């Protein structure tokens, strides 16, 4: 078995930047993920379920696990010298690390500490999503918002952790997508899925059909297309929706398929957050041979303007995204 740090070390010559920095960053994320995995696996026996008496800047009630995961990832990233600061779904503003780090450390991390919060209390898979950039502000100056508002095509690494029937950490640095399964008796993430790639063909569509009446016409037409009977094109497709982006995406990267969260009447700009949900998942998707768009442009080319901005998100098997785009643009 090859552990995460052994694999990253062996591959470090592929990482465009200084030796060891990436493995340090990934191992701090793995450390926090191990802790969260332990808390989730025994959640029913502890008081970790339910809501905290707080809400985040998006007005969403924070679950206790949202808050715990946020604190745990911050603690793990602060303990490393490479990170100058982070932005998190659960923090209204940037978290600039002290002790000179803001002037000297090279990386910033954007994170969704707990993805799929609505599924925590019902024992359905949830995740963590992270995105890593090199700072643009010169060393010696304090990092600022511009270091975080970089387009997704500038990411140096991205990944997710899926806390499911088994726990996986999946990441990319732009040289393919690799998955590591948590081995509890070793307490380590071990290589289980090297060079992951989307199957060429997909027959699963994933969308919250409960919002059907609120969807743009193009999305409604595409859903009808998915539901039509046509043996030649393997339709009707299967409809699968877990309600945790990480879990829905992970199923599709293994089996093929398309995930869609359009703009709706309730979320005119979409629900998912560009910086710490759409961009990292889009980077992984493209590295695995898939496509990711907001319905008009490549997600990774969007120039962000605010930390918690939302975006419509369509990601998956290229032929399925192309078919959707045909309905969205015609
Ligand atoms: O319940 P809805 O509206 O379908 O939304 C589900 C989506 O919202 C999310 O839960 C948002 O993420 P958070 O749980 O991190 O806020 C996604 O994981 C998921 O894809
Ligand atoms: Mg999320
Ligand atoms: Mg979240």
């Amino acid at each position: 078995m090859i552990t995460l740090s052994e694999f990253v070390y062996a591959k470090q010559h592929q990482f465009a930047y200084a030796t060891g920095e990436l493995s340090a960053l990934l191992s701090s994320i793995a450390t926090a993920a191990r802790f969260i995995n332990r808390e989730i696996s025994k959640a029913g026996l502890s008081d970790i379920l339910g809501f905290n008496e707080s809400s985040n800047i998006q007005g969403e009630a924070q679950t206790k696990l949202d808050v715990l995961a946020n604190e745990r990832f911050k603690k793990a990233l602060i303990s490393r010298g490479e990170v100058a600061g982070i932005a998190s779904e659960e923090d209204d503003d940037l978290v600039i690390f002290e002790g000179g780090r803001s002037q000297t450390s090279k990386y910033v991390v954007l994170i969704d500490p707990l993805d799929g919060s609505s599924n925590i209390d019902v024992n359905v898979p949830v995740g963590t999503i992270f995105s890593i950039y090199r700072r643009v502000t010169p060393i010696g100056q304090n990092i600022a918002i511009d270091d975080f508002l970089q387009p997704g095509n500038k990411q140096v690494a991205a990944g997710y952790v899926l806390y499911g029937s088994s726990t996986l950490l999946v990441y990319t640095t732009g040289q393919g997508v690799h998955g590591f399964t948590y081995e509890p008796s070793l307490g380590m993430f071990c290589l289980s899925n090297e060079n992951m790639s989307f199957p060429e063909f997909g027959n699963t569509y994933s969308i919250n059909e409960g919002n059907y009446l609120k969807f743009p016409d193009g999305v409604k037409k595409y859903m009808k297309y998915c539901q039509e009977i046509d043996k030649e094109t393997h339709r009707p497709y299967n409809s699968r929706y877990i309600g945790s982006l990480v879990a829905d995406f992970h199923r599709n990267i293994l089996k093929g398929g398309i995930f869609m969260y359009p703009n709706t009447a309730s979320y005119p700009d979409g629900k998912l957050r560009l910086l710490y949900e759409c961009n990292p998942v889009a980077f992984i998707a493209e590295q695995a041979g898939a496509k990711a768009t907001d319905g008009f442009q490549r997600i990774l080319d969007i120039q962000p303007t605010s930390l918690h901005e939302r975006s419509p998100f369509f990601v998956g098997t290229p032929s399925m995204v192309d078919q959707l785009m045909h309905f969205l643009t015609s």
Side-chain angles (χ1 to χ4, degrees):
M1 275 203 272
I2 303 175
T3 67
L4 174 64
S5 37
E6 287 166 346
F7 183 85
V8 175
Y9 187 76
K11 296 265 179 194
Q12 69 190 359
H13 62 281
Q14 289 183 344
F15 186 62
Y17 303 108
T19 311
E21 289 180 336
L22 174 68
S23 48
L25 266 167
L26 285 175
S27 75
S28 57
I29 289 170
T31 304
R34 278 203 302 268
F35 177 86
I36 301 300
N37 177 59
R38 189 191 68 192
E39 294 304 313
I40 288 175
S41 62
K42 59 181 176 67
L45 301 171
S46 70
D47 63 348
I48 199 63
L49 296 178
F51 285 91
N52 207 55
E53 275 146 31
S54 56
S55 59
N56 62 23
I57 191 167
Q58 295 139 73
E60 293 162 348
Q62 291 176 313
T63 65
K64 291 179 185 170
L65 255 171
D66 281 329
V67 174
L68 179 79
N70 194 38
E71 290 316 312
R72 199 69 205 199
F73 278 100
K74 271 195 285 194
K75 192 171 166 208
L77 291 166
I78 283 174
S79 71
R80 299 281 168 172
E82 296 74 23
V83 181
I86 74 162
S88 164
E89 177 190 0
E90 305 309 336
D91 286 300
D92 300 359
D93 300 313
L94 299 182
V95 181
I96 311 270
F97 292 169
E98 285 155 12
R101 306 268 297 278
S102 169
Q103 289 104 23
T104 57
S105 303
K106 297 191 192 96
Y107 298 94
V108 295
V109 177
L110 298 100
I111 193 159
D112 176 357
L114 212 286
D115 176 62
S117 308
S118 62
N119 281 327
I120 294 170
D121 290 8
V122 290
N123 207 354
V124 168
V126 292
T128 291
I129 313 174
F130 61 92
S131 169
I132 303 173
Y133 292 87
R134 270 182 85 84
R135 62 185 296 152
V136 288
T137 304
I139 295 280
Q141 291 175 30
N142 283 317
I143 53 163
I145 189 74
D146 291 352
D147 297 293
F148 296 84
L149 297 183
Q150 301 185 52
N153 55 38
K154 292 277 186 273
Q155 290 173 96
V156 292
Y160 58 81
V161 183
L162 174 61
Y163 310 99
S165 41
S166 63
T167 293
L168 262 98
L169 187 153
V170 172
Y171 84 93
T172 186
T173 58
Q175 276 84 28
V177 177
H178 312 292
F180 300 78
T181 299
Y182 183 60
E183 215 295 4
S185 65
L186 291 178
M188 291 182 179
F189 286 94
C190 300
L191 183 65
S192 52
N193 307 74
E194 189 169 3
N195 289 321
M196 300 171 78
S197 67
F198 264 76
E200 200 191 331
F201 168 71
N203 68 341
T204 297
Y205 71 100
S206 187
I207 191 167
N208 185 341
E209 306 211 26
N211 294 329
Y212 181 80
L213 294 178
K214 302 175 185 173
F215 289 151
D217 281 350
V219 173
K220 289 178 183 167
K221 287 183 195 148
Y222 179 66
M223 290 172 70
K224 286 287 156 249
Y225 171 87
C226 294
Q227 294 159 359
E228 278 162 8
I229 301 171
D230 177 40
K231 274 212 163 57
E232 227 174 272
T233 53
H234 309 283
R235 286 177 294 148
Y237 294 155
N238 297 318
S239 172
R240 294 281 185 279
Y241 192 73
I242 296 167
S244 299
L245 167 62
V246 168
D248 280 312
F249 176 77
H250 191 71
R251 181 203 50 248
N252 290 348
I253 194 172
L254 296 176
K255 301 282 182 192
I258 185 170
F259 173 85
M260 302 175 271
Y261 208 111
N263 47 315
T264 68
S266 335
Y267 292 105
D269 302 321
K271 177 183 181 181
L272 301 174
R273 282 52 60 115
L274 176 63
L275 294 182
Y276 42 80
E277 290 175 317
C278 305
N279 271 339
V281 172
F283 187 18
I284 294 164
E286 288 200 3
Q287 281 292 309
K291 284 187 175 181
T293 174
D294 66 351
F296 298 97
Q297 62 180 312
R298 185 179 169 233
I299 288 284
L300 296 180
D301 292 339
I302 298 174
Q303 174 54 56
T305 52
S306 67
L307 215 47
H308 301 285
E309 72 180 80
R310 301 175 189 265
S311 173
F313 192 42
F314 308 100
V315 57
T317 301
S319 57
M320 298 178 88
V321 175
D322 292 345
Q323 187 66 52
L324 166 72
M325 291 300 287
H326 163 71
F327 286 109
L328 284 177
T329 52
S330 56

